[in-house]
Amino acid sequence: MNNTSNPARRVLPYAAGVSLIAGAAFFFAGLATSPPSTGDDKAAYLQSLAADPFQTQLSALLLHYGNLLMGAGLLALPLLVRGRRGAVMTLVGALLGALTLLEMSGALLSDWFHMEIGRNLPVEQAVALSDKVLAHPAQQLAFSPGPLVSVALLLTFAGLARAGVLGWWAIGGIVLGYAGLLFMPYDTPILPALGTVPMLAVMAVAGLRVIARTRVDAAGPVPVPA
């Protein structure tokens, strides 16, 4: 039986590849439209979110869907591996990466919370309330994966590189992009957006590989002339 007879075998991997590409684009747009912050402390952060509610909501929405789509798309990457080499690394990394990126997508709800307390409370009270909410261990477990995201992505793409699906350059792209996300100044939001381009490019290339593999599998084996 042709294992492409089930439409889901074609549609789901194709959708995952598109999700990786679209998620990378949404994430870039979300960072680029982030409200500029005048400082690194919590008070400056809350004031930046409160200053322009439309921009805050646009950025949060784009970042939410960027993380969500990339998290869902990662689940298809282990399907690119043929054989045992790199398979376990890719599978573990993709599962952990999907979980942490989906957690981060949910964490964007806090932007609406922070925007409103920044608009309706004195800044000292707003900071105290934010710190109190975010200090709950269960909240941190649910929505603050921290460095696990970078570990998961490195593991995923190291597995794909070991399997020969992508080159080892992908690891450098993840490292450079994550460094750009952490260290570029957020008073000019386009800078961290540009800083993440190497990492987002790796995600987009992986999405293209998923789409290409899906098309090849759907076409079936090439007939050999007699």
Side-chain angles (χ1 to χ4, degrees), residues 45-115:
Y45 171 68
L46 295 180
Q47 289 168 339
S48 71
L49 295 184
D52 188 339
F54 175 79
Q55 185 175 359
T56 294
Q57 293 179 79
L58 175 63
S59 174
L61 192 65
L62 290 168
L63 289 171
H64 164 74
Y65 279 109
N67 284 305
L68 182 68
L69 290 170
M70 288 191 292
L74 279 180
L75 293 173
L77 295 187
L79 301 177
L80 293 173
V81 178
R82 297 291 189 259
R84 298 171 61 91
R85 190 179 182 90
V88 174
M89 290 175 65
T90 306
L91 179 61
V92 173
L95 290 174
L96 181 60
L99 176 63
T100 52
L101 284 172
L102 292 175
E103 285 182 357
M104 290 180 65
S105 73
L108 268 298
L109 177 62
S110 69
D111 278 13
W112 277 267
F113 160 72
H114 285 131
M115 177 182 70

Side-chain angles (χ1 to χ4, degrees), residues 3-215:
N3 63 6
T4 62
S5 59
N6 181 351
R9 294 180 182 271
R10 299 188 302 272
V11 174
L12 291 179
Y14 191 88
V18 172
S19 292
L20 284 169
I21 299 168
F26 275 43
F27 192 87
F28 176 87
L31 279 181
T33 56
S34 297
S37 180
T38 57
D40 297 327
D41 59 339
K42 176 64 71 67
Y45 171 68
L46 295 180
Q47 289 168 339
S48 71
L49 295 184
D52 188 339
F54 175 79
Q55 185 175 359
T56 294
Q57 293 179 79
L58 175 63
S59 174
L61 192 65
L62 290 168
L63 289 171
H64 164 74
Y65 279 109
N67 284 305
L68 182 68
L69 290 170
M70 288 191 292
L74 279 180
L75 293 173
L77 295 187
L79 301 177
L80 293 173
V81 178
R82 297 291 189 259
R84 298 171 61 91
R85 190 179 182 90
V88 174
M89 290 175 65
T90 306
L91 179 61
V92 173
L95 290 174
L96 181 60
L99 176 63
T100 52
L101 284 172
L102 292 175
E103 285 182 357
M104 290 180 65
S105 73
L108 268 298
L109 177 62
S110 69
D111 278 13
W112 277 267
F113 160 72
H114 285 131
M115 177 182 70
E116 287 301 329
I117 64 173
R119 294 176 67 198
N120 292 282
L121 293 176
V123 65
E124 295 82 5
Q125 293 182 24
V127 169
L129 181 57
S130 172
D131 289 344
K132 188 172 182 179
V133 171
L134 298 181
H136 288 286
Q139 190 279 337
Q140 296 178 24
L141 181 64
F143 298 116
S144 300
L148 281 179
V149 179
S150 59
V151 171
L153 293 179
L154 287 172
L155 191 60
T156 301
F157 288 98
L160 291 177
R162 183 169 172 78
V165 176
L166 291 175
W168 288 99
W169 57 264
I171 301 301
I174 297 297
V175 172
L176 285 174
Y178 202 73
L181 180 66
L182 291 179
F183 299 118
M184 286 292 187
Y186 279 79
D187 57 348
T188 308
I190 192 62
L191 293 179
L194 291 173
T196 61
V197 165
M199 177 173 62
L200 298 178
V202 172
M203 302 291 275
V205 169
L208 290 172
R209 293 291 172 88
V210 172
I211 293 171
R213 177 67 63 81
T214 303
R215 288 174 174 170

